[in-house]
Amino acid sequence: MSHVRVRIAPSPTGAPHVGTAYIALFNKVFAMQNSGKFILRIEDTDQTRSHPEYEKNIFDALKWVGLLWDEGPDVGGDYGPYRQSERTETYQQHAEKLVQKGGAYRCFCTPDRLAKMRADQMARGLSPKYDGKCRHISENIVAQKVNNGEPFTVRLKVPRSGKCVFEDRLRGRITYNYKEIDDQVLLKSDGFPTYHLANVVDDHLMKISHVIRGEEWISSTPKHVLLYKLFGWEQPEFIHMPLLLNADGSKLSKRRNPTSIFYYRDAGYLPESLLNYLGLMGYSRPNGEEKFNMEQMAEDFDIERVSLGGSTFDLVKLKWLSGKYIREDLKSDVLQQRLNEWRLNSEFFTEIIACVQERMDTLGDFIPLCSFLWAREVELNPEDLIPKKKDDKETLQFLQTLLFAIEETPFWNAEVIEEKIKEVAEFFEWKLRQATQPLFVAISGKKVAPPLFSSMAFLGKDLSRVRIVSAIEALGGVSKKKLQKFQKAWDQR
RNA sequence: GGCCCUGUCGUCUAGCCAGGCCUAGGACACAAGGUUUUCAACCUUGCAACACGAGUUCAAAUCUCGUCAGGGUCACCA
């Protein structure tokens, strides 16, 4: 195998996901085993959702679990830039090339028309698909429209018949009929590429040899294969990993599970145990060992041993593994050091002490007052969550809406938290006091605690989110239908 | 709904490709016992699965087909 080059390509649009670390791990181990290179590429082509803060989070999260990359936006490499927003010209040139070759075409349809078309198709029981209106516009008209400054997208011209066949290393031959595949937008009207174009162009330019990614990409692989063909490029080997699942069997989601890597860091799981656990998902070492690090995994790694059913992400087993590492691998002085590095240090105490001081009578009050800040989880009494003159249903919606609100910003500090809570309180026409009560209890498990905003800031966004989710569960949880209803209400504020 | 992927204990998995060694092995969880000043840890034991139905074969968890079930995906998101 010559020059194995693999990559992970996360998009900086939210909290760094454990699924990213999972896929990164298998890529990394595959590279290690083949003395190849492991590349980090930032897919920030969605200008509305991407944020530099989230990019930094990806770096920090991957470093924390110990997944280091050979090439990337921060460390450089021979195939940069590694940030897609810095490569727009490349994509535009390639899109143009494709148009000239007849493999793609400019589309002038407005989002409005597309939405109507889709709604119409749905109403008639058809699956939504671009109708090909702009597929055959004459060159003159296209030139005219472009000259007039009409916004356009570039769409992939998918053959109307024939089959697309590709090999997946783990699943064998997969076949799709071209007629089932939509004329995907490759270049958006803002000039940025969609995933499909950017991904194929970059993988080729960066000489990626193996595409190891999640199973959810299988259905868009035909589009990628078509692109390789149209460009006349050799395609990489495709390896689709099984998905990480919620307990109900659906794709791992933050509504049902803590999915942010930072949650695991802040809740005090050992990074080596998280990485090890991820290695257990869909994989087993030939010797059956369950406790191993990346180097050991790479020693006898065999991609063919990956099992194909999705794996339920089981916090209970992860907790056991973390405990195993703490007990077996850390001498007490090292453990003390690890606790220090975590959040049991004077820097953090300094932040907190001023907040707690007013509530202390004796020094012995300090730890009991703020122990929740160093706890993986807190116990709470569901009744304490409900403010006076409100009921459980209102509280439920309030907490859920707050969850939506905090997702709207990539930042997390006392000011932002206060702002968001006030925003939601106003929306519900609740007094601030009523709004903070359920949060106090959700966050601390108690009615008496240091100031809420600082506490939440200190806890971190991910731990705070999970505690609010737990509080919602304690109140009976929210159905998918209700969730959508709540989201809609909030969005229309 | 169309298309695609998948289907071994509650959960993660071994075994499947090269059918017999499988009255299906390990781990988590759970239960019982042991050890221990308590708890945890640790040790021992137990509980528990080849989705279903046909076919091929002397023999099928393993090969073939069908059924069912679950998931993924159908955006100017990745």
Side-chain angles (χ1 to χ4, degrees), chain A residues 205-225:
Chain A
L205 262 23
M206 295 181 182
K207 295 197 162 56
I208 298 302
S209 59
H210 301 258
V211 170
I212 304 173
R213 79 224 302 190
E215 187 187 338
E216 74 263 40
W217 292 106
I218 291 180
S219 57
S220 48
T221 306
K223 292 165 191 167
H224 306 162
V225 170

Side-chain angles (χ1 to χ4, degrees), chain A residues 390-455:
Chain A
K390 301 293 169 193
D391 62 22
D392 53 342
K393 289 199 171 65
E394 290 170 287
T395 307
L396 211 52
Q397 182 169 4
F398 171 79
L399 289 173
Q400 183 58 58
T401 304
L402 188 78
L403 242 26
F404 298 145
I406 65 174
E407 291 314 320
E408 291 165 357
T409 165
F411 301 109
W412 192 255
N413 54 54
E415 291 75 41
V416 170
I417 295 163
E418 179 172 2
E419 189 185 307
K420 285 295 168 190
I421 292 173
K422 282 186 171 161
E423 224 176 297
V424 177
E426 268 172 44
F427 174 68
F428 280 82
E429 295 178 345
W430 282 20
K431 287 179 188 154
L432 191 60
R433 181 190 288 273
Q434 288 173 310
T436 50
Q437 169 174 346
L439 285 168
F440 258 111
V441 176
I443 295 298
S444 68
K446 298 180 291 194
K447 292 180 189 170
V448 184
L452 180 66
F453 310 136
S454 325
S455 296

Side-chain angles (χ1 to χ4, degrees), chain A residues 324-477:
Chain A
K324 208 168 157 64
Y325 274 93
I326 287 182
R327 273 173 250 118
E328 295 175 4
D329 288 23
L330 305 184
K331 293 210 170 100
S332 67
D333 58 329
V334 178
L335 176 57
Q336 186 175 343
Q337 195 190 323
R338 297 288 292 263
L339 281 163
N340 262 218
E341 288 163 8
W342 179 56
R343 56 198 336 187
L344 208 58
N345 56 48
S346 50
E347 195 185 321
F348 278 119
F349 281 133
T350 309
E351 273 183 56
I352 292 304
I353 284 173
C355 302
V356 187
Q357 191 165 8
E358 296 171 63
R359 293 162 178 78
M360 286 169 62
D361 295 316
T362 69
L363 302 178
D365 291 333
F366 178 69
I367 293 288
L369 272 169
C370 56
S371 63
F372 69 96
L373 294 170
W374 286 270
R376 192 180 68 240
E377 56 192 5
V378 295
E379 271 184 59
L380 53 82
N381 178 7
E383 287 166 23
D384 295 341
L385 287 164
I386 304 165
K388 274 181 196 152
K389 298 181 191 167
K390 301 293 169 193
D391 62 22
D392 53 342
K393 289 199 171 65
E394 290 170 287
T395 307
L396 211 52
Q397 182 169 4
F398 171 79
L399 289 173
Q400 183 58 58
T401 304
L402 188 78
L403 242 26
F404 298 145
I406 65 174
E407 291 314 320
E408 291 165 357
T409 165
F411 301 109
W412 192 255
N413 54 54
E415 291 75 41
V416 170
I417 295 163
E418 179 172 2
E419 189 185 307
K420 285 295 168 190
I421 292 173
K422 282 186 171 161
E423 224 176 297
V424 177
E426 268 172 44
F427 174 68
F428 280 82
E429 295 178 345
W430 282 20
K431 287 179 188 154
L432 191 60
R433 181 190 288 273
Q434 288 173 310
T436 50
Q437 169 174 346
L439 285 168
F440 258 111
V441 176
I443 295 298
S444 68
K446 298 180 291 194
K447 292 180 189 170
V448 184
L452 180 66
F453 310 136
S454 325
S455 296
M456 288 177 74
F458 179 86
L459 255 191
K461 188 174 188 171
D462 300 291
L463 219 44
S464 300
R465 182 196 293 114
V466 170
R467 291 208 183 157
I468 296 170
V469 169
S470 300
I472 289 173
E473 293 298 314
L475 288 170

Side-chain angles (χ1 to χ4, degrees), chain A residues 6-10 16-32 37-41 58-59 61-63 65-70 210-214 239 241-242 244 261 275 278-279 294 297 301 303:
Chain A
V6 294
R7 59 25 173 212
I8 26 148
H17 201 277
V18 283
T20 304
Y22 169 60
I23 298 296
L25 170 65
F26 280 83
N27 273 284
K28 168 91 180 176
V29 168
F30 187 76
M32 284 166 78
K37 290 275 189 281
F38 172 59
I39 292 129
L40 170 62
R41 185 172 71 221
I58 291 170
F59 295 162
L62 290 175
K63 282 179 191 163
V65 284
L67 286 162
L68 304 181
W69 46 98
D70 302 305
H210 301 258
V211 170
I212 304 173
R213 79 224 302 190
I239 301 164
M241 296 289 297
L244 259 25
I261 295 169
L275 198 64
L278 257 12
M294 239 175 3
M297 187 174 171
F301 185 66
I303 192 85

Side-chain angles (χ1 to χ4, degrees), chain A residues 2-54:
Chain A
S2 67
H3 295 307
V4 164
R5 291 175 58 80
V6 294
R7 59 25 173 212
I8 26 148
S11 73
T13 52
H17 201 277
V18 283
T20 304
Y22 169 60
I23 298 296
L25 170 65
F26 280 83
N27 273 284
K28 168 91 180 176
V29 168
F30 187 76
M32 284 166 78
Q33 180 203 21
N34 294 290
S35 352
K37 290 275 189 281
F38 172 59
I39 292 129
L40 170 62
R41 185 172 71 221
I42 296 295
E43 308 229 329
D44 54 351
T45 57
D46 185 338
Q47 287 300 287
T48 58
R49 295 200 305 152
S50 295
H51 196 283
E53 191 71 14
Y54 291 136

Side-chain angles (χ1 to χ4, degrees), chain A residues 123-355:
Chain A
R124 285 188 294 156
L126 299 169
S127 56
K129 215 165 153 251
Y130 181 60
D131 59 6
K133 182 172 182 249
C134 297
R135 210 169 147 127
H136 302 292
I137 302 181
S138 75
E139 276 179 46
N140 292 341
I141 309 258
V142 168
Q144 205 179 326
K145 281 175 179 278
V146 172
N147 276 339
N148 287 347
E150 271 190 50
F152 62 87
T153 62
V154 174
R155 280 180 187 275
L156 181 63
K157 201 175 206 169
V158 178
R160 286 288 159 82
S161 63
K163 289 177 194 306
C164 176
V165 181
F166 63 92
E167 293 287 331
D168 177 279
R169 173 83 165 262
L170 301 174
R171 296 155 212 269
R173 183 157 297 182
I174 298 175
T175 306
Y176 279 85
N177 285 317
Y178 276 130
K179 67 176 177 200
E180 289 149 8
I181 300 165
D182 205 359
D183 281 2
Q184 254 297 327
V185 169
L186 299 176
L187 202 66
K188 301 180 247 186
S189 56
D190 63 3
F192 279 83
T194 59
Y195 170 85
H196 307 282
L197 210 219
N199 161 72
V200 167
V201 168
D202 283 350
D203 281 348
H204 174 256
L205 262 23
M206 295 181 182
K207 295 197 162 56
I208 298 302
S209 59
H210 301 258
V211 170
I212 304 173
R213 79 224 302 190
E215 187 187 338
E216 74 263 40
W217 292 106
I218 291 180
S219 57
S220 48
T221 306
K223 292 165 191 167
H224 306 162
V225 170
L226 214 208
L227 281 167
Y228 282 106
K229 270 189 199 149
L230 290 170
F231 281 122
W233 295 336
E234 193 186 336
Q235 54 180 270
E237 189 165 346
F238 292 105
I239 301 164
H240 289 99
M241 296 289 297
L243 259 22
L244 259 25
L245 270 27
N246 295 315
D248 67 357
S250 57
K251 187 163 81 164
L252 194 67
S253 65
K254 70 176 168 215
R255 193 161 61 84
R256 310 276 326 248
N257 264 298
T259 57
S260 166
I261 295 169
F262 289 156
Y263 165 79
Y264 296 93
R265 181 193 64 187
D266 297 347
Y269 290 85
L270 255 38
E272 52 267 51
S273 71
L274 177 61
L275 198 64
N276 186 160
Y277 181 67
L278 257 12
L280 249 20
M281 301 277 86
Y283 188 70
S284 64
R285 290 187 67 191
N287 62 14
E289 285 291 335
E290 288 199 292
K291 187 174 167 222
F292 52 82
N293 58 34
M294 239 175 3
E295 286 70 28
Q296 292 166 322
M297 187 174 171
E299 275 168 23
D300 50 17
F301 185 66
D302 178 3
I303 192 85
E304 311 276 345
R305 284 183 70 84
V306 170
S307 61
L308 297 180
S311 322
T312 311
F313 195 86
D314 180 12
L315 269 327
V316 176
K317 187 154 182 175
L318 170 59
K319 197 178 92 173
W320 164 78
L321 240 196
S322 185
K324 208 168 157 64
Y325 274 93
I326 287 182
R327 273 173 250 118
E328 295 175 4
D329 288 23
L330 305 184
K331 293 210 170 100
S332 67
D333 58 329
V334 178
L335 176 57
Q336 186 175 343
Q337 195 190 323
R338 297 288 292 263
L339 281 163
N340 262 218
E341 288 163 8
W342 179 56
R343 56 198 336 187
L344 208 58
N345 56 48
S346 50
E347 195 185 321
F348 278 119
F349 281 133
T350 309
E351 273 183 56
I352 292 304
I353 284 173
C355 302

